[in-house]
Amino acid sequence: MRQLTHQFINNQWIESRGQRRLAVMDPYRQQQLAELTAGHPADVDAAVTAARQALPEWQALGGARRAAWLDAFADTLAERREELMTLSATNNGKALAETAIDLDDAIACYRYYAEQARALEQRQGRLVEHSMDGIEARCYEDPAGVVGLITPWNFPLVTSAWKIAPALAAGCTIVFKPSEVTPLPENAVAEIAEAIQLPAGVLNLVHGDGEGIGAPLSAHPGVDKLSFTGSNAVGERVMHAAADGVRGVSLELGGKSPILVLDDADVEQAADWVMAGIYFNSGQICSATSRLIVDQSLAEALYNALAQRIDALHLGDPLAEDTDMGPMTSARQRQSVERYLQIARQEGLSAVRDASHRQLPEQGEFVAPTLFRDVPTDSSLWREEIFGPVLCARSVGSEQDAIQLANDSDFGLAATVISGDPERARRVARQLRAGSIWYNSEQVVMPEASWGGFGISGIGRELGPWGLSGYLEVKHIIGPAAT
Ligand code: NAD
């Protein structure tokens, strides 16, 4: 069994100062894959010190030179693509085809921020247009400093890429704490930093759980900015921690996103997009469109089309080519989803499909793909993020009702609109309160478009130029204009 006993600090693998051992699991085989020796707060201290020392030189290199390392990151990830896909599928439980999408997404992200780093250097010191005579103002964008990055387990190497790539491009130095659930693929981040000879201290990785490492990292006075992706409960704690010392924070939190099927939609096509929006990654997607809002004229036909597709989903070994849906990533997540299914039984919700309609695989942390119809809007299944393959549906009588119901949520991460008329779909999308809205599409993600949410789905945006600006401080230097 593999042992993960070292932290990556100042470009050295340092034996963890902590004593706690955490089991790293394969959620399909339900076997322990590795033993992780969690770090100690002293490891966090050492990592922050290394990052602080590395900051001035890394900043002074300028964006164009930093870009070379970002390209090298992408190249090395691409070289290790197949191996990391397998590692991710084994540790996370996601189907191999999904891990290919993840790896390609991460590679594209590092390449994109290499370009952004070059563009950043080009625009440093640009003159600002203004209307005052005899004065010039120049704009510079400096790195936010040492950043603490904390990620969840559902998209290993992707959520970390969305933070690490822009942070490096901006000239920040990093202390990264990946999820303790999926440390195996994430450890590759440090291995790659070492392989491409990133300057010492620029990227440090400390493994461990939330209380042991996440909390001390969030509270560390040597961290200038925190970027967190995960649950709302922990996000609030990170934000509280950042308040001490008035440190910056960006939060990518949960969602309860709607998918609207309007009365002019093609039902069969709509069913495909509805399926992709909720059962991909076994529903463990922050942007999962877990609230289906369908025009009443199409509801019965759509539920039938979905039932057929759910029955056809093949649940099984993530490494098998014919697997559509793997297990939940952990026993804990399976139990969390099952608690909602218990509530559904208590509330007498009407299941179009649930575990009673299929035989689950004999092994693995599986939850059956589930569809409830006519879910009351005050049910916790309608309102709370379940983070599993559970779709809740309601029918409505008009476009206006659909929009109103879609926006009736404290979350605002994502949404999808399906209509036979693309212009109508875009018009409806404009009225939705969410950061990413797809129409007549599955959830396409690209590094150029932003990611992040309204309301309690978070603060700030990742990806695109917005993702870079999250790691920059803007400054203007103003004085007499040269004559
Ligand atoms: P989580 O909040 O339990 O853990 C996320 C990370 O925070 C982990 O690394 C964990 O160890 C760490 N952590 C736990 N307690 C901590 C503390 N007190 N201080 C600092 N760090 C701490 O979330 P999870 O179960 O790993 O992931 C699922 C959640 O992530 C879902 O709510 C999902 O919506 C959200 N998510 C959001 C996005 C997005 O982009 N908005 C993307 C992926 C996942």
Side-chain angles (χ1 to χ4, degrees):
M1 186 173 48
R2 192 168 158 190
Q3 297 286 334
L4 275 179
T5 53
H6 287 62
Q7 318 296 344
F8 187 69
I9 298 171
N10 214 19
N11 276 18
Q12 289 177 337
W13 293 97
I14 308 280
E15 196 163 346
S16 176
R17 294 160 173 91
Q19 300 295 323
R20 290 188 51 228
R21 309 263 195 275
L22 305 174
V24 182
M25 299 296 293
D26 170 341
Y28 174 64
R29 287 167 190 78
Q30 292 170 307
Q31 284 170 359
Q32 190 172 343
L33 277 173
E35 185 176 69
L36 175 72
T37 309
H40 182 271
D43 293 319
V44 175
D45 271 341
V48 172
T49 302
R52 177 66 55 199
Q53 279 169 356
L55 183 62
E57 265 187 52
W58 183 240
Q59 173 175 357
L61 276 179
R65 288 177 70 190
R66 291 194 297 267
W69 274 289
L70 284 156
D71 280 329
F73 227 108
D75 293 343
T76 315
L77 264 182
E79 280 161 23
R80 294 185 58 182
R81 182 175 179 275
E82 308 294 317
E83 166 224 339
L84 292 174
M85 281 168 52
T86 308
L87 197 56
S88 190
T90 314
N91 190 179
N92 178 282
K94 62 174 71 192
L96 208 50
E98 295 184 6
T99 66
I101 299 172
D102 287 5
L103 261 294
D104 292 342
D105 184 335
I107 293 164
C109 181
Y110 284 101
R111 290 212 197 289
Y112 171 75
Y113 281 108
E115 285 306 316
Q116 287 288 311
R118 292 185 190 98
L120 173 65
E121 182 155 339
Q122 296 258 310
R123 66 173 183 261
Q124 294 287 20
R126 67 191 179 279
L127 283 167
V128 175
E129 279 185 35
H130 63 81
S131 56
M132 288 180 123
D133 289 338
I135 294 287
E136 71 165 41
R138 289 179 188 272
C139 180
Y140 295 85
E141 294 162 87
D142 285 355
V146 174
V147 293
L149 311 180
I150 302 175
T151 58
W153 42 260
N154 57 334
F155 286 97
L157 294 170
V158 179
T159 28
S160 54
W162 292 11
K163 297 183 191 307
I164 291 170
L168 292 178
C172 293
T173 55
I174 295 169
V175 181
F176 168 42
K177 189 207 95 61
S179 169
E180 65 278 22
V181 180
T182 49
L184 291 178
E186 299 284 21
N187 203 56
V189 165
E191 293 160 8
I192 293 173
E194 184 185 30
I196 64 173
Q197 298 178 348
L198 197 67
V202 169
L203 194 163
N204 307 276
L205 186 155
V206 184
H207 285 294
D209 61 4
E211 290 309 319
I213 297 300
L217 177 59
S218 313
H220 203 294
V223 173
D224 298 302
K225 168 149 196 187
L226 292 156
S227 177
F228 171 83
T229 300
S231 62
N232 278 66
V234 177
E236 287 189 14
R237 293 186 61 181
V238 170
M239 194 168 168
H240 277 290
D244 283 338
V246 195
R247 292 166 313 123
V249 61
S250 349
L251 303 173
E252 295 291 338
L253 307 177
K256 189 73 189 179
S257 299
I259 181 161
L260 289 69
V261 180
L262 305 184
D263 59 4
D264 57 358
D266 175 320
V267 168
E268 294 298 319
Q269 179 63 79
D272 288 340
W273 290 323
V274 172
M275 292 292 292
I278 182 69
Y279 301 121
F280 187 82
N281 207 26
S282 309
Q284 302 165 116
I285 335 174
C286 50
S287 58
T289 37
S290 53
R291 288 186 296 142
L292 168 60
I293 300 169
V294 52
D295 190 89
Q296 60 195 18
S297 63
L298 303 182
E300 294 304 326
L302 184 61
Y303 298 154
N304 287 335
L306 289 170
Q308 279 174 18
R309 284 164 176 74
I310 291 170
D311 291 342
L313 280 181
H314 184 246
L315 275 54
D317 183 349
L319 296 176
E321 292 222 335
D322 62 346
T323 293
D324 299 309
M325 204 180 107
M328 298 285 99
T329 296
S330 64
R332 193 165 156 224
Q333 190 58 27
R334 174 180 54 72
Q335 289 154 3
S336 167
V337 177
E338 283 172 349
R339 276 195 290 279
Y340 280 100
L341 299 177
Q342 176 68 24
I343 294 171
R345 279 190 289 277
Q346 285 159 0
E347 291 181 352
L349 295 191
S350 166
V352 176
R353 281 296 179 274
D354 65 6
S356 67
H357 297 90
R358 72 157 61 227
Q359 186 87 34
L360 285 176
E362 280 173 11
Q363 60 173 21
E365 308 292 353
F366 283 96
V367 172
T370 297
L371 166 58
F372 293 114
R373 58 176 293 177
D374 309 319
V375 178
T377 55
D378 60 356
S379 168
S380 55
L381 278 88
W382 184 262
R383 306 211 78 87
E384 295 174 14
E385 181 180 55
I386 299 174
F387 221 56
V390 181
L391 177 60
C392 294
R394 283 186 70 78
S395 61
V396 287
S398 71
E399 179 187 296
Q400 217 38 50
D401 287 352
I403 294 168
Q404 203 175 355
L405 189 55
N407 284 336
D408 179 20
S409 171
D410 294 333
F411 294 104
L413 187 58
T416 297
V417 182
I418 302 172
S419 162
D421 174 357
E423 209 169 304
R424 180 185 183 198
R426 284 194 297 271
R427 178 173 52 73
V428 168
R430 285 287 290 131
Q431 296 173 71
L432 299 179
R433 190 174 159 275
S436 297
I437 307 177
W438 296 275
Y439 69 95
N440 296 344
S441 168
E442 51 188 33
Q443 297 196 359
V444 183
V445 176
M446 61 194 86
E448 293 81 3
S450 72
W451 189 266
F454 288 53
I456 65 169
S457 286
I459 295 178
R461 293 290 181 272
E462 298 201 300
L463 297 181
W466 309 274
L468 182 66
S469 60
Y471 294 97
L472 291 167
E473 293 281 6
V474 180
K475 86 181 174 202
H476 286 90
I477 299 182
I478 304 168
T483 45

